[in-house]
C-alpha cells in the first residue's frame, strides 16, 4: 500500500488524491472503459503543462518519468490541443485503465505501487475527489445543499416553485406557435396529456412545445383543446348521420313510397291547361303539376296507368280544378265536358270553325270571323296562299283539321294562329309546288283546292283517289265529255253557305259566281273547306282508270263512278228512284 492508499487492498483513498471522486452520481467507481462526461458536457481541468520527456519511465527502481501525455504500451502520443468533443466520452477495452489529460501518471514499480503524483487536486473542482477502491463503503461528500451546482443530477433535482396565477383579464394563451407561426399544440404532439397538470420542471425531460418552449397550463386548469376537437368530431359525425338518413329516406320514398297526391275532387278554383299534340303521360303530368292541378307527376302517371282509358286522353285544352287527386284529374280529362277545345274536322268550312271558337271563348257571334278578315296576313299563311283576289276567305283551307285549345281568356287570333301554323307545317311536308307542276296545276293553292273538293265530294276513303281522277280529267278542256266544267254541287253550296244536294237547274244556271262550277270552267278561286291528310294524299296520287262522272246513288254515302255520259245518265236515274224524285 502506498502512502495514499492506492494499493490493491480495500483501504479507501485519501481525499487529497487527485483522482478522488472520479465516480458516478452515487460516489461509485465508473465502469471501466466508459467514463461519460457529466450532463453530456466535457469537464475542463487546467493543469500546468510539463515538457515532453524523450524517454520511458524507469520501471525498475520504483521511480517513473513524468509525462504530460498518456503513455500506453510502446506508443508515445504527441501533445494535442484540447478538444472538448474528443473527450466527451471515452471508451477503452475491458480491464485497461482510462487516463485523463492533465494528470501526471507514472508507471508501476516492482512492488506494484503507484509512482508519486506531484500535483494535488484542484480545490475549485467539486468533482476532483477520487472515490474509494472497488467494493468499499463510500462516504457522501455531497450532503450539503450547495454541493451540486446546476445542472444537478436527476435524483437531486427539486421541483421549481410554480409561478403565481396571472390575472384573468391578462391570461395568456396556453400555447406558443413557435417558429411554425401558429401551429396548434394539439397537432404538435402531447395531445394525450392535455388533461393532466403540467407540473414537470423546465429542463431535460420536460415536455416541450415546438420551438423549444414549454406548453404549460396554469395550475388547477384543464386544457380545452381536446374538448373542442371532440365537439367538432361529434358535430361532423352527427351531420353525416343526419345527411345519410335524410337522403336515405328520400331515396326510399322516391323508389318505394307512395307518390305525393292531393285528395278529393279539387277546390272551387278552375284553371285551363293546354295539352299539346303527342304529349305522353309524364309530360301531361308535368303540365298539370305546373298549373296546380295535381301534386306530383308520378301520382298522375300512376292514376292514368291504372285507368283502363288513361291512354285515350287527347290533345287540347281542359278546364280543370286546382288541387285535385290524380285519379279525379284523369277521370275529368276523359269527360268531354272538361275539354275546352276547338276540333276542326276534315272538310269543315271556316264559317263553322269561327262559330265554335266564339262559343268556346265566350265571345259574341261573328267576333272570330272579323278577326280573320282583318288579321289574316299576320297569322302565318304560306307565301303562295291567297293568290286570287276573288277568294272569299283567305284562311279557307288553312285551318288544318285537329284539336286546338280554346278556353275562356284566350284571344281568337291565338287560336287561329295555331291552326294556320299547323296547316303550313303539314303542307310543307308534301312539297306542293313540285307536285302541282307534275299534275298540270298552276300553284300549290290549286292543289289544296282540289283536295278540298275531294274531301267534300268523297264519301269513303276508297272514293278519294277516284274523285281526284274525275277532277283532273274534267279540268282538261279538250276532253269531249265535260270540256273543262267540273259541275260540282259542293262549290255552289259553298258560295251559298249551304249543304243542299237538291239544287234546281234554273238556280244553278242563273248564278254566275266564280265559285259556281256549273257556269264557270276550271277550279273555284280557292278551297271550299279544310282537307285532311287522306284527301291530300289521294289528290297527289289519283287513279288512272278514265273516270269522268260520279253520283251518290243513295243520296247519302254510296258513290258510284262512270266513264261516259250514258253511264252517268243511268246512275242519275238510279239516284232519282232512291230519293223518290
Amino acid at each position: 500500500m502506498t502512502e495514499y492508499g492506492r494499493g490493491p487492498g480495500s483501504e479507501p483513498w485519501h481525499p487529497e488524491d487527485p483522482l478522488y471522486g472520479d465516480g458516478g452520481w452515487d460516489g461509485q467507481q465508473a465502469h471501466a472503459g466508459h467514463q461519460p462526461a457529466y450532463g453530456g458536457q466535457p469537464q475542463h481541468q487546467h493543469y500546468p503543462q510539463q515538457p515532453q520527456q524523450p524517454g520511458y519511465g524507469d520501471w525498475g527502481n520504483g521511480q517513473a518519468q513524468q509525462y504530460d501525455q498518456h503513455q500506453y504500451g510502446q506508443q508515445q502520443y504527441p501533445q494535442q490541443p484540447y478538444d472538448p468533443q474528443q473527450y466527451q466520452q471515452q471508451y477503452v477495452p475491458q480491464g485497461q485503465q482510462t487516463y485523463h489529460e492533465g494528470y501526471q501518471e507514472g508507471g508501476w514499480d516492482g512492488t506494484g505501487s503507484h509512482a508519486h503524483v506531484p500535483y494535488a487536486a484542484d480545490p475549485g473542482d467539486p468533482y476532483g475527489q477520487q472515490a474509494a477502491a472497488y467494493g468499499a463503503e463510500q462516504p457522501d461528500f455531497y450532503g450539503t445543499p450547495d454541493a451540486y451546482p446546476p445542472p444537478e443530477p436527476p435524483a437531486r433535482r427539486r421541483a421549481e416553485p410554480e409561478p403565481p396565477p396571472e390575472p384573468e383579464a391578462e391570461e395568456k394563451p396556453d400555447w406558443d406557435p413557435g417558429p411554425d407561426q401558429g401551429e396548434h399544440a394539439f397537432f404538435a404532439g402531447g395531445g394525450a396529456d392535455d388533461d393532466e397538470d403540467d407540473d414537470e420542471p423546465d429542463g431535460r425531460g420536460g415536455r416541450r412545445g415546438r420551438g423549444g418552449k414549454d406548453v404549460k397550463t396554469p395550475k388547477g386548469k384543464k386544457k380545452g383543446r381536446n374538448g373542442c376537437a371532440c365537439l367538432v368530431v361529434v358535430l361532423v359525425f352527427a351531420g353525416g348521420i343526419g345527411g345519410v338518413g335524410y337522403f336515405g329516406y328520400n331515396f326510399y320514398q322516391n323508389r318505394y313510397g307512395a307518390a305525393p297526391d292531393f285528395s278529393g275532387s279539387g277546390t272551387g278554383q278552375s284553371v285551363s291547361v293546354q295539352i299539346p299534340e303527342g304529349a305522353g303521360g309524364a309530360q301531361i303530368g308535368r303540365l298539370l303539376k305546373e298549373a296546380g292541378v295535381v301534386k306530383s307527376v308520378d301520382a298522375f302517371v300512376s292514376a292514368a296507368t291504372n285507368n283502363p282509358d288513361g291512354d285515350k286522353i287527347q290533345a287540347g285544352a281542359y278546364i280543370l280544378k286546382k288541387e285535385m287527386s290524380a285519379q279525379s284529374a284523369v277521370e275529368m280529362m276523359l269527360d268531354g265536358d272538361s275539354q275546352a277545345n276547338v276540333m276542326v274536322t276534315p272538310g269543315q268550312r271556316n264559317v263553322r270553325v269561327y262559330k265554335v271558337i266564339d262559343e268556346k271563348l265566350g265571345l259574341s257571334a261573328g267576333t272570330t270571323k272579323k278577326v280573320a278578315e282583318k288579321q289574316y296576313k299576320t297569322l302565318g299563311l304560306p307565301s303562295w296562299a291567297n293568290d286570287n283576289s276573288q277568294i272569299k276567305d283567305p284562311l279557307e283551307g288553312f285551318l288544318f283539321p285537329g284539336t286546338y285549345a280554346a278556353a275562356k281568356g284566350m284571344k281568337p287570333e291565338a287560336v287561329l294562329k295555331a291552326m294556320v301554323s299547323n296547316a303550313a307545317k303539314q303542307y310543307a311536308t308534301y312539297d306542293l309546288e313540285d307536285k302541282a307542276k307534275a299534275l298540270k296545276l298552276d300553284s300549290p293553292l290549286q292543289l289544296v283546292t282540289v283536295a278540298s273538293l275531294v274531301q267534300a265530294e268523297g264519301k269513303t276513303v276508297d272514293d278519294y283517289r277516284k274523285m281526284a281522277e274525275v277532277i283532273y280529267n274534267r279540268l282538261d278542256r279538250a276532253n269531249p265529255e265535260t270540256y273543262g266544267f267540273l259541275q260540282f254541287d259542293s262549290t255552289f253550296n259553298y258560295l251559298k253557305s249551304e249543304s243542299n244536294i237538291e239544287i234546281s237547274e234554273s238556280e244553278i244556271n242563273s248564278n254566275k259566281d266564280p265559285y259556281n262550277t256549273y257556269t264557270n270552267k276550271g277550279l273555284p278561286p280557292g278551297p271550299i273547306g279544310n282537307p285532311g291528310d287522306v284527301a291530300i294524299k289521294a289528290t297527289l296520287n289519283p287513279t288512272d282508270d278514265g273516270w269522268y262522272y260520279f253520283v251518290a246513288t243513295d243520296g247519302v254515302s254510296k258513290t258510284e263512278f262512270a266513264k261516259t255520259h250514258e253511264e252517268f245518265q243511268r246512275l242519275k236515274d238510279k239516284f232519282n228512284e232512291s230519293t223518290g224524285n
Side-chain angles (χ1 to χ4, degrees):
M1 176 184 297
T2 66
E3 58 179 333
Y4 293 107
R6 294 195 61 182
S10 60
E11 190 74 11
W13 291 351
H14 195 279
E16 294 182 358
D17 191 314
L19 297 182
Y20 185 87
D22 191 9
W25 294 112
D26 296 326
Q28 301 296 330
Q29 178 68 25
H31 293 287
H34 185 225
Q35 174 98 15
Y38 172 72
Q41 300 294 332
Q43 298 180 14
H44 299 279
Q45 299 181 9
H46 304 282
Y47 299 94
Q49 182 176 356
Q50 299 295 331
Q52 293 184 350
Q53 303 297 326
Y56 296 93
D58 186 0
W59 298 91
N61 57 9
Q63 299 288 330
Q65 295 288 342
Q66 297 180 354
Y67 296 95
D68 286 334
Q69 302 297 327
H70 297 182
Q71 294 181 1
Y72 181 74
Q74 299 298 323
Q75 181 68 32
Q76 178 177 355
Y77 296 90
Q79 179 178 0
Q80 298 293 339
Y82 178 78
D83 186 2
Q85 298 297 330
Q86 178 179 358
Y87 298 99
Q88 200 170 29
Q89 188 172 9
Q90 297 178 352
Y91 298 91
V92 297
Q94 179 70 24
Q96 295 183 2
Q97 177 67 28
T98 302
Y99 297 89
H100 298 274
E101 184 180 2
Y103 292 94
Q104 297 292 336
E105 298 180 7
W108 296 87
D109 58 11
T111 63
S113 62
H114 194 276
H116 174 70
V117 179
Y119 298 103
D122 186 357
D125 184 1
Y127 309 105
Q129 309 282 336
Q130 176 67 25
Y134 293 98
E137 182 177 355
Q138 305 299 325
D140 186 2
F141 295 99
Y142 303 97
T144 64
D146 299 329
Y148 289 94
E152 297 176 344
R156 296 279 183 173
R157 294 182 185 175
R158 291 171 294 175
E160 293 182 355
E162 297 181 357
E166 298 180 3
E168 188 68 24
E170 299 179 358
E171 184 174 350
K172 298 179 181 179
D174 60 351
W175 61 280
D176 186 355
D180 290 341
Q181 297 299 324
E183 180 176 356
H184 199 286
F186 179 79
F187 301 99
D193 298 331
D194 282 346
D195 293 336
E196 300 177 2
D197 291 339
D198 191 2
D199 295 332
E200 292 189 29
D202 292 343
R204 188 177 61 183
R207 292 178 295 171
R208 305 182 69 84
R210 297 185 62 136
K213 295 183 180 181
D214 290 343
V215 181
K216 293 187 177 182
T217 302
K219 187 175 182 180
K221 294 187 179 180
K222 301 293 184 179
K223 295 182 181 179
R225 292 189 294 274
N226 268 4
C228 293
C230 291
L231 178 60
V232 171
V233 172
V234 169
L235 291 176
V236 170
F237 274 102
I241 294 173
V244 170
Y246 174 77
F247 287 108
Y249 175 78
N250 286 341
F251 176 81
Y252 176 83
Q253 288 295 325
N254 292 336
R255 183 173 290 270
Y256 304 107
D261 195 5
F262 293 122
S263 60
S265 57
T267 64
Q269 184 178 1
S270 297
V271 61
S272 175
V273 181
Q274 298 183 35
I275 307 301
E277 190 73 26
Q283 184 177 357
I284 295 174
R286 284 193 293 270
L287 293 173
L288 295 180
K289 181 182 178 182
E290 292 173 359
V293 177
V294 298
K295 193 170 186 179
S296 68
V297 177
D298 290 343
F300 177 82
V301 172
S302 177
T305 303
N306 294 330
N307 191 307
D309 296 328
D311 58 348
K312 296 180 180 179
I313 297 177
Q314 300 178 354
Y318 294 84
I319 304 299
L320 304 172
K321 296 180 180 180
K322 284 195 171 184
E323 298 184 2
M324 302 179 67
S325 68
Q327 181 180 354
S328 299
V330 171
E331 293 174 353
M332 193 169 186
M333 294 182 75
L334 292 174
D335 185 0
D337 294 340
S338 68
Q339 297 184 16
N341 304 321
V342 173
M343 181 176 291
V344 179
T345 60
Q348 193 173 26
R349 298 173 186 172
N350 281 6
V351 291
R352 176 57 184 164
V353 178
Y354 298 152
K355 182 179 179 181
V356 175
I357 293 176
D358 288 340
E359 293 174 354
K360 291 293 183 179
L361 300 184
L363 304 175
S364 58
T367 301
T368 303
K369 183 178 180 180
K370 292 178 181 179
V371 171
E373 292 173 352
K374 294 179 179 180
Q375 302 185 24
Y376 70 90
K377 293 182 179 180
T378 64
L379 300 179
L381 287 171
S383 59
W384 43 263
N386 194 34
D387 62 354
N388 193 319
S389 61
Q390 294 180 325
I391 293 176
K392 296 185 179 298
D393 186 350
L395 297 183
E396 195 72 70
F398 292 94
L399 304 182
F400 202 82
T403 302
Y404 301 91
K408 290 182 179 181
M410 295 180 64
K411 295 183 178 181
E413 53 266 33
V415 181
L416 293 175
K417 188 172 184 179
M419 297 176 179
V420 174
S421 298
N422 191 27
K425 177 182 176 182
Q426 296 297 328
Y427 290 154
T429 62
Y430 295 123
D431 192 14
L432 297 184
E433 293 186 13
D434 292 339
K435 294 295 179 62
K437 294 178 181 179
L439 294 170
K440 299 179 180 180
L441 298 176
D442 295 338
S443 68
L445 183 61
Q446 287 191 340
L447 261 179
V448 176
T449 302
V450 172
S452 67
L453 295 174
V454 170
Q455 187 77 67
E457 295 289 353
K459 304 302 180 182
T460 64
V461 176
D462 294 337
D463 294 344
Y464 291 153
R465 292 187 63 203
K466 293 179 181 180
M467 190 67 64
E469 183 185 357
V470 168
I471 295 173
Y472 292 131
N473 287 338
R474 293 173 76 93
L475 288 177
D476 184 2
R477 298 185 180 189
N479 76 80
E481 295 294 334
T482 62
Y483 300 101
F485 287 95
L486 289 179
Q487 298 178 326
F488 281 9
D489 292 345
S490 58
T491 61
F492 187 81
N493 285 330
Y494 178 77
L495 69 91
K496 299 289 289 188
S497 296
E498 298 175 351
S499 295
N500 187 5
I501 62 174
E502 295 181 0
I503 304 173
S504 65
E505 292 184 3
S506 61
E507 183 181 2
I508 291 175
N509 294 330
S510 63
N511 191 318
K512 303 299 180 178
D513 190 274
Y515 280 84
N516 185 355
T517 56
Y518 281 97
T519 58
N520 295 280
K521 291 184 178 182
L523 292 170
I528 63 172
N530 297 287
D533 285 332
V534 178
I536 294 173
K537 292 178 180 178
T539 300
L540 300 177
N541 187 28
T543 61
D544 190 16
D545 298 330
W547 306 113
Y548 279 86
Y549 305 93
F550 63 93
V551 175
T553 55
D554 63 351
V556 181
S557 60
K558 185 177 181 180
T559 302
E560 296 185 47
F561 294 86
K563 297 178 181 179
T564 64
H565 189 269
E566 289 79 13
E567 293 177 354
F568 167 69
Q569 196 63 45
R570 288 195 295 269
L571 293 176
K572 189 176 181 180
D573 293 342
K574 187 176 180 178
F575 167 74
N576 291 334
E577 291 177 1
S578 64
T579 58
N581 294 331

